[in-house]
Structures are given as structure tokens and as C-alpha cells.
Coordinates of all heavy atoms in Angstrom, one line a residue:
D22 N 62.7 146.1 -86.0 CA 63.8 145.3 -86.2 C 65.1 146.0 -86.1 O 66.2 145.4 -86.0 CB 63.7 144.5 -87.5 CG 63.7 145.4 -88.8 OD1 64.0 146.6 -88.6 OD2 63.2 145.0 -89.8
G23 N 65.1 147.4 -86.3 CA 66.3 148.2 -86.1 C 67.2 148.2 -87.2 O 68.3 148.9 -87.2
R24 N 66.9 147.5 -88.3 CA 67.9 147.4 -89.4 C 67.7 148.4 -90.5 O 68.5 148.5 -91.4 CB 67.9 145.9 -90.0 CG 68.5 144.9 -89.0 CD 68.4 143.5 -89.6 NE 67.0 143.1 -89.7 CZ 66.6 141.9 -90.1 NH1 67.5 141.0 -90.5 NH2 65.3 141.6 -90.2
Q25 N 66.5 149.0 -90.5 CA 66.2 150.0 -91.5 C 65.8 151.3 -90.9 O 65.8 151.5 -89.7 CB 65.0 149.5 -92.3 CG 65.3 148.2 -93.1 CD 64.1 147.7 -93.9 OE1 63.1 147.5 -93.3 NE2 64.3 147.4 -95.2
V26 N 65.6 152.3 -91.8 CA 65.4 153.7 -91.3 C 64.1 154.2 -91.9 O 63.8 153.9 -93.1 CB 66.6 154.6 -91.7 CG1 66.3 156.1 -91.3 CG2 67.9 154.1 -91.2
T27 N 63.3 154.9 -91.2 CA 62.1 155.5 -91.7 C 61.9 156.9 -91.1 O 62.7 157.4 -90.4 CB 60.9 154.6 -91.3 OG1 59.7 155.0 -92.0 CG2 60.6 154.6 -89.8
V28 N 60.8 157.5 -91.5 CA 60.5 158.9 -91.0 C 60.2 158.9 -89.5 O 59.6 158.0 -89.0 CB 59.2 159.4 -91.8 CG1 58.7 160.7 -91.2 CG2 59.5 159.5 -93.3
G29 N 60.8 159.9 -88.9 CA 60.6 160.0 -87.4 C 59.5 161.0 -87.1 O 59.0 161.7 -88.0
P30 N 59.2 161.1 -85.8 CA 58.0 162.0 -85.4 C 58.2 163.4 -85.7 O 57.2 164.1 -86.1 CB 57.9 161.7 -83.9 CG 59.2 161.1 -83.5 CD 59.8 160.4 -84.7
K31 N 59.4 164.0 -85.6 CA 59.6 165.4 -85.9 C 59.5 165.7 -87.3 O 59.0 166.8 -87.7 CB 61.0 165.9 -85.3 CG 61.0 166.0 -83.8 CD 62.3 166.7 -83.4 CE 62.1 168.2 -83.6 NZ 63.2 169.0 -83.0
L32 N 59.9 164.7 -88.2 CA 59.7 165.0 -89.6 C 58.3 164.9 -90.0 O 57.8 165.6 -90.9 CB 60.6 163.9 -90.4 CG 60.7 164.2 -91.9 CD1 61.2 165.6 -92.3 CD2 61.6 163.1 -92.6
R33 N 57.5 164.0 -89.4 CA 56.1 163.9 -89.7 C 55.4 165.2 -89.3 O 54.5 165.7 -90.0 CB 55.5 162.7 -89.0 CG 55.8 161.3 -89.6 CD 54.9 160.2 -89.1 NE 54.9 160.1 -87.7 CZ 55.7 159.3 -87.0 NH1 56.6 158.5 -87.7 NH2 55.6 159.2 -85.7
T34 N 55.7 165.7 -88.1 CA 55.2 166.9 -87.6 C 55.5 168.1 -88.6 O 54.6 168.9 -88.9 CB 55.6 167.2 -86.2 OG1 55.3 166.2 -85.3 CG2 55.0 168.6 -85.7
L35 N 56.7 168.1 -89.0 CA 57.2 169.2 -90.0 C 56.3 169.1 -91.2 O 55.9 170.1 -91.8 CB 58.6 169.0 -90.3 CG 59.2 170.0 -91.3 CD1 59.1 171.4 -90.8 CD2 60.7 169.6 -91.6
A36 N 56.1 167.9 -91.8 CA 55.4 167.7 -93.0 C 53.9 168.1 -92.8 O 53.3 168.8 -93.6 CB 55.4 166.3 -93.4
L37 N 53.4 167.8 -91.6 CA 52.0 168.1 -91.4 C 51.8 169.6 -91.2 O 50.9 170.2 -91.8 CB 51.5 167.4 -90.1 CG 50.0 167.5 -89.7 CD1 49.2 166.9 -90.8 CD2 49.8 166.8 -88.4
N38 N 52.7 170.3 -90.5 CA 52.7 171.7 -90.4 C 52.9 172.4 -91.7 O 52.3 173.5 -92.0 CB 53.7 172.2 -89.4 CG 53.3 171.8 -87.9 OD1 52.2 171.5 -87.6 ND2 54.3 171.7 -87.1
T39 N 53.7 171.9 -92.6 CA 54.0 172.5 -93.9 C 52.7 172.4 -94.7 O 52.4 173.4 -95.4 CB 55.1 171.7 -94.6 OG1 56.3 171.8 -93.8 CG2 55.4 172.3 -96.0
L40 N 52.0 171.3 -94.7 CA 50.8 171.2 -95.4 C 49.7 172.1 -94.9 O 49.0 172.8 -95.7 CB 50.2 169.7 -95.4 CG 50.8 168.8 -96.4 CD1 50.3 167.3 -96.2 CD2 50.3 169.2 -97.8
R41 N 49.6 172.2 -93.6 CA 48.7 173.2 -93.0 C 49.0 174.6 -93.5 O 48.1 175.4 -93.8 CB 48.7 173.1 -91.5 CG 48.0 171.9 -90.9 CD 48.1 171.8 -89.4 NE 47.4 170.7 -88.8 CZ 47.6 170.2 -87.7 NH1 48.6 170.7 -86.9 NH2 46.9 169.2 -87.2
S42 N 50.2 174.9 -93.4 CA 50.6 176.3 -93.9 C 50.3 176.5 -95.3 O 49.9 177.6 -95.7 CB 52.1 176.5 -93.6 OG 52.6 177.7 -94.0
S43 N 50.6 175.5 -96.2 CA 50.3 175.6 -97.6 C 48.8 175.8 -97.8 O 48.4 176.6 -98.7 CB 50.8 174.3 -98.3 OG 52.2 174.2 -98.2
L44 N 48.0 175.1 -97.1 CA 46.6 175.2 -97.3 C 46.1 176.6 -96.9 O 45.2 177.2 -97.5 CB 45.8 174.2 -96.4 CG 45.9 172.8 -96.9 CD1 45.4 171.8 -95.8 CD2 45.0 172.6 -98.1
A45 N 46.7 177.2 -95.9 CA 46.3 178.6 -95.5 C 46.8 179.6 -96.4 O 46.2 180.7 -96.5 CB 46.9 178.8 -94.1
Q46 N 47.9 179.3 -97.2 CA 48.5 180.4 -98.0 C 48.3 180.2 -99.5 O 48.9 181.0 -100.3 CB 50.0 180.5 -97.7 CG 50.3 180.8 -96.3 CD 51.7 180.8 -95.9 OE1 52.6 181.0 -96.8 NE2 52.0 180.4 -94.7
T47 N 47.6 179.2 -100.0 CA 47.5 178.9 -101.4 C 46.0 178.9 -101.8 O 45.1 179.0 -100.9 CB 48.1 177.5 -101.8 OG1 47.2 176.5 -101.1 CG2 49.5 177.4 -101.3
P48 N 45.7 178.8 -103.1 CA 44.3 178.9 -103.5 C 43.5 177.6 -103.2 O 42.4 177.4 -103.5 CB 44.4 179.0 -105.0 CG 45.8 179.5 -105.3 CD 46.6 178.9 -104.2
S49 N 44.2 176.6 -102.5 CA 43.5 175.3 -102.2 C 42.2 175.5 -101.4 O 41.3 174.8 -101.6 CB 44.5 174.3 -101.6 OG 44.9 174.8 -100.3
H50 N 42.3 176.4 -100.4 CA 41.1 176.5 -99.6 C 39.9 177.1 -100.5 O 38.8 176.7 -100.3 CB 41.3 177.5 -98.4 CG 40.1 177.6 -97.5 ND1 39.7 176.6 -96.6 CD2 39.2 178.6 -97.4 CE1 38.6 177.1 -96.0 NE2 38.3 178.3 -96.5
A51 N 40.3 178.0 -101.3 CA 39.2 178.6 -102.2 C 38.7 177.5 -103.2 O 37.5 177.4 -103.5 CB 39.8 179.7 -103.1
R52 N 39.6 176.6 -103.6 CA 39.2 175.5 -104.5 C 38.3 174.5 -103.7 O 37.3 174.0 -104.2 CB 40.4 174.7 -105.0 CG 40.0 173.6 -106.0 CD 39.3 174.1 -107.2 NE 38.9 173.1 -108.1 CZ 37.7 172.6 -108.1 NH1 36.8 172.9 -107.2 NH2 37.3 171.7 -109.0
L53 N 38.6 174.3 -102.4 CA 37.7 173.4 -101.6 C 36.4 174.1 -101.4 O 35.3 173.4 -101.4 CB 38.4 173.2 -100.2 CG 37.8 172.2 -99.3 CD1 37.9 170.8 -99.9 CD2 38.4 172.2 -97.9
R54 N 36.4 175.4 -101.2 CA 35.1 176.1 -101.0 C 34.3 176.0 -102.3 O 33.0 175.8 -102.3 CB 35.3 177.5 -100.6 CG 34.1 178.3 -100.3 CD 34.4 179.7 -99.8 NE 35.0 179.6 -98.5 CZ 34.4 179.4 -97.3 NH1 33.1 179.3 -97.3 NH2 35.0 179.3 -96.2
A55 N 34.9 176.2 -103.4 CA 34.2 176.1 -104.7 C 33.7 174.7 -104.9 O 32.5 174.5 -105.4 CB 35.2 176.4 -105.9
L56 N 34.4 173.7 -104.5 CA 33.9 172.3 -104.6 C 32.7 172.1 -103.8 O 31.7 171.4 -104.2 CB 35.0 171.3 -104.2 CG 34.7 169.8 -104.2 CD1 34.3 169.3 -105.6 CD2 35.8 169.0 -103.6
S57 N 32.7 172.6 -102.5 CA 31.6 172.5 -101.6 C 30.4 173.1 -102.2 O 29.3 172.6 -102.1 CB 32.0 173.1 -100.3 OG 30.9 173.1 -99.4
L58 N 30.6 174.3 -102.8 CA 29.4 175.0 -103.5 C 28.9 174.2 -104.7 O 27.7 174.1 -104.9 CB 29.8 176.4 -103.9 CG 30.1 177.4 -102.8 CD1 30.6 178.7 -103.3 CD2 28.7 177.7 -102.1
E59 N 29.8 173.6 -105.5 CA 29.4 172.8 -106.6 C 28.6 171.6 -106.3 O 27.6 171.3 -106.9 CB 30.7 172.5 -107.5 CG 30.3 171.7 -108.7 CD 31.6 171.4 -109.6 OE1 32.7 171.7 -109.1 OE2 31.4 170.8 -110.7
L60 N 29.1 170.9 -105.2 CA 28.4 169.7 -104.8 C 27.3 169.9 -103.9 O 26.4 169.1 -103.7 CB 29.4 168.7 -104.1 CG 30.6 168.2 -105.0 CD1 31.5 167.3 -104.2 CD2 30.1 167.5 -106.2
G61 N 27.3 171.1 -103.2 CA 26.2 171.4 -102.3 C 26.4 170.6 -101.0 O 25.4 170.5 -100.2
E62 N 27.6 170.2 -100.7 CA 27.8 169.4 -99.5 C 29.2 169.8 -98.8 O 30.0 170.5 -99.4 CB 27.9 167.9 -99.8 CG 26.6 167.4 -100.5 CD 25.4 167.4 -99.6 OE1 25.5 167.8 -98.4 OE2 24.3 167.1 -100.1
T63 N 29.4 169.3 -97.6 CA 30.6 169.6 -96.8 C 31.8 168.8 -97.5 O 31.6 167.6 -97.8 CB 30.4 169.2 -95.4 OG1 29.4 170.0 -94.8 CG2 31.7 169.3 -94.6
C64 N 32.9 169.5 -97.6 CA 34.1 168.8 -98.2 C 35.3 169.0 -97.2 O 35.4 170.0 -96.5 CB 34.4 169.5 -99.5 SG 33.2 169.2 -100.8

């Protein structure tokens, strides 16, 4: 409709790349691995 504003493709890409970078640099991957070991399944 052109009357409102929302997130554009470059901002979505930036957010996605930021999350990927965060996953690579924080303990989240280790937590995911621990969860996989605890459940005995792929996460």
C-alpha cells in the first residue's frame, strides 16, 4: 500500500549475519552441543 514503512532486505541481511556471527563467537554453540548430548538427538 506504500503508506507504511517496514524492514528492508539489507537490514534483514544485516540482522541474519549478526546472529550468525553471534553464534560463532558466543557460548551458544557450546550450549546447543550440550543440549544435543543431553537429549541424545540432533538440535
Side-chain angles (χ1 to χ4, degrees):
D22 61 19
R24 291 177 294 181
Q25 295 179 309
V26 179
T27 189
V28 171
K31 287 195 72 173
L32 188 55
R33 288 197 301 269
T34 300
L35 176 63
L37 189 61
N38 289 339
T39 300
L40 272 174
R41 283 176 176 159
S42 178
S43 296
L44 285 166
Q46 299 176 31
T47 66
S49 60
H50 182 77
R52 183 64 185 90
L53 188 66
R54 184 172 295 280
L56 176 66
S57 177
L58 289 172
E59 182 177 2
L60 297 179
E62 303 295 354
T63 295
C64 295

